[in-house]
Amino acid sequence: MQQYIDSYDFKGKRAIVRVDFNVPLNENFEITDDTRIRRAIPTLKKVLEGGGSLILMSHLGRPKKVDPKFSLKYLTGRVSELLGVPVQFAEDCMAADAQAAALKPGEVLLLENLRYYAEEEGKPRGLADDISDEEKDAAKKAVKASQKEFVKHLASYADCYINDAFGTAHRAHASTALIADYFPNDKMFGYLMEGEIKAIDNVLKNAQRPLTAIIGGSKVSSKLAVLKNLVGKVDNLIIGGGMGYTFIKAQGGKIGMSLHEDELMPEALAILEEAKQKGVNVSLSVQTVAGQEFTNDTPQHIFDTHNIDDGWEGMDAAPASLENWKKIILASKTILWNGPVGVFELPNFAKGTLQIAKDLAEATANGAYTLVGGGDSVAAVTQMGYADKVSYVSTGGGAMLEAIEGKVLPGIAAIQK
Ligand code: AMP
């Protein structure tokens, strides 16, 4: 049975919390962006202020074995500063029994990187290329078997379990999906997870209409599942960015050197057909800012998107497209934005993406619910200074993308079941 962090009594309880402390470190092991740590703090403070103690567990990077480069010990100072209490460190996440047992209310213990153990991901490591399928199967079974012990051991440290790691909620790992089973009546989401789940539900389950999705980014192939799920749910579907040119070409347009995936043209047409049948208004780009090469200072020219000259490549949305999209955005009550509508990393081709961020801010100020999530639109909206002018900016790139694809995320399901 799922519990709620706001109503749970943490007094005298040890809470084991799956956090996403997968922060970037420089060559001196200094944290270069502590956003992920800061976003977990409200949950952690709630436990401490409620009279509980904390056992924090996370992964950092992708170590394939014990590797000091990926040690969580470099984080203790920053976590301690943000929490305002000392943070103890367990150098081996499987040997923290005594430290966990000695924790008093208000104390905090951070476990070493969970991914030092293959059991966290549940996949065998370092297998030779030339082993047989039977040997591979046996190795997989062995890890799965020892994974049970791994999870049980972690669970033995605590009285309750909180998952606040949305960034890894789409992974069925030991600390995200399996450990919850050991806390049938004492498992819950942290505030960050709760916020992300509410944001997803506001768009995919309880949206105020009209509901609009703006899908951009580079490739149709990486957004196909998103488009297929959304086409049955939204009122308006704006398709922009590099992926838009596959749709234009599939309709017979001339797209010059613009990014496209010929093999996905039938899928693109199928999506347009399905949208038509379902009465969904699809808005493709009508006007494009093109460049002659993929650089910031390349000469620019504006073309009708169906008629881009050879030698030119569509790199940003032009005013006529942006006008169409603005009208749709401002007439919507709920808006989901995933993926930039141009090569926003090059400042001369960032205007379209900036305009979308501004339109979303205006829609939000007018009362619409706006969610920016999954992929580079999060970086764009943050970099452009609009993160606090929309309703919600998701922290989980891959996890949000899978949620928008309509998938059940294992980290969410484990708590809710
Ligand atoms: P995604 O991660 O799928 O959201 O894609 C984001 C990437 O799409 C960014 O790096 C953008 O530069 C890129 N992108 C957007 N529009 C275009 C375009 N017209 N041509 C090439 N790349 C683009």
Side-chain angles (χ1 to χ4, degrees), residues 216-220 222-223 240-245 258-259 288-289 294 313-317 338-346 349 353 374-377 401:
S218 53
K219 291 188 165 177
V220 180
S222 62
K223 300 285 165 78
M243 56 182 276
Y245 300 101
S258 307
L259 198 68
T288 283
V289 181
F294 205 76
E313 170 173 7
M315 289 167 70
D316 197 9
N338 170 275
V341 296
V343 186
F344 77 100
E345 299 91 336
L346 302 178
F349 294 93
T353 300
D376 275 357
S377 40
L401 202 64

